[in-house]
């Protein structure tokens, strides 16, 4: 039953896209074609820019102590929005705009932050171990001294 429902949705989406495009073309004429070309070029540009910026975001996230999942999910969201903008249709463009306007702190990013919590706990444990080490094993020797020349 669930499979049949998904199949109906997948079949209804392109039909709805074509219907909306035909209605808009009947009302606005060639402006719809100009809109589709412009939005397709914007989607292509978004994908090209995202490919260039993905590795920079990955390095920046790793240097900040985060997980690479944060950068991957953000880039995947933008790539999907770019693909939806390239597809001719107004409904897919609206979905792409919603994807682009979603904030970065989604549930997927919160799941990625769970790894950050584990790494913070591990680092705090290692700091506690360093403070409780045996005397005389460090670089600092505590005590008083007097310099005689």
């Amino acid at each position: 039953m669930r499979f049949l429902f998904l199949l109906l949705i997948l079949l209804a989406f392109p039909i709805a896209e074509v219907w909306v495009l035909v209605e808009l073309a009947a009302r606005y004429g060639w402006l719809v074609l100009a809109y589709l070309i412009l939005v397709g070029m914007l989607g292509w540009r978004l994908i090209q820019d995202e490919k260039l910026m993905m590795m920079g975001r990955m390095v920046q996230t790793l240097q900040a102590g985060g997980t690479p999942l944060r950068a991957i999910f953000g880039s995947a969201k933008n790539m999907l929005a770019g693909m939806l903008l390239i597809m001719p249709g107004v409904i897919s463009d609206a979905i792409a705009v919603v994807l682009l306007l979603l904030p970065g702190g989604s549930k997927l990013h919160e799941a990625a932050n769970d790894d950050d919590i584990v790494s913070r706990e591990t680092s705090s444990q290692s700091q506690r171990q360093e403070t409780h080490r045996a005397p005389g094993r460090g670089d600092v020797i505590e005590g008083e001294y007097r310099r005689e020349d």
Side-chain angles (χ1 to χ4, degrees):
M1 185 67 181
R2 180 181 261 180
F3 177 73
L4 183 62
F5 183 69
L6 287 174
L7 185 63
L8 287 174
I9 289 175
L10 286 175
L11 290 175
F13 182 74
I15 293 170
E17 285 275 23
V18 170
W19 180 73
V20 169
L21 278 177
V22 167
E23 289 293 321
L24 287 173
R27 186 172 293 168
Y28 297 108
W30 64 273
L31 290 175
V32 175
L33 180 62
Y35 164 78
L36 291 175
I37 292 172
L38 178 69
V39 169
M41 289 182 348
L42 289 174
W44 181 257
R45 185 65 189 180
L46 178 65
I47 290 173
Q48 295 298 319
D49 289 345
E50 195 60 41
K51 284 189 333 189
L52 293 174
M53 292 189 305
M54 183 177 171
M55 289 307 291
R57 281 189 192 145
M58 183 86 65
V59 169
Q60 194 174 34
T61 303
L62 289 173
Q63 286 178 346
T67 61
L69 289 175
R70 179 176 300 225
I72 290 171
F73 286 133
S75 292
K77 180 185 72 152
N78 290 344
M79 292 283 251
L80 179 62
M83 288 187 285
L84 287 171
L85 286 172
I86 290 175
M87 286 176 41
V90 178
I91 299 172
S92 61
D93 295 343
I95 295 170
V97 168
V98 168
L99 275 176
L100 289 173
L101 293 177
L102 283 177
S106 66
K107 295 289 182 194
L108 295 174
H109 296 288
E110 289 174 11
N113 286 338
D114 290 344
D115 295 335
D116 293 340
I117 293 170
V118 172
S119 65
R120 277 185 262 151
E121 288 176 359
T122 306
S123 66
S124 67
Q125 287 175 356
S126 64
Q127 287 175 353
R128 274 187 256 136
Q129 288 174 354
E130 288 177 9
T131 58
H132 295 296
R133 61 181 179 216
R137 289 181 42 184
D139 294 324
V140 178
I141 301 173
E142 294 186 26
E144 295 181 19
Y145 75 94
R146 181 173 39 155
R147 185 174 188 167
E148 295 180 8
D149 288 328

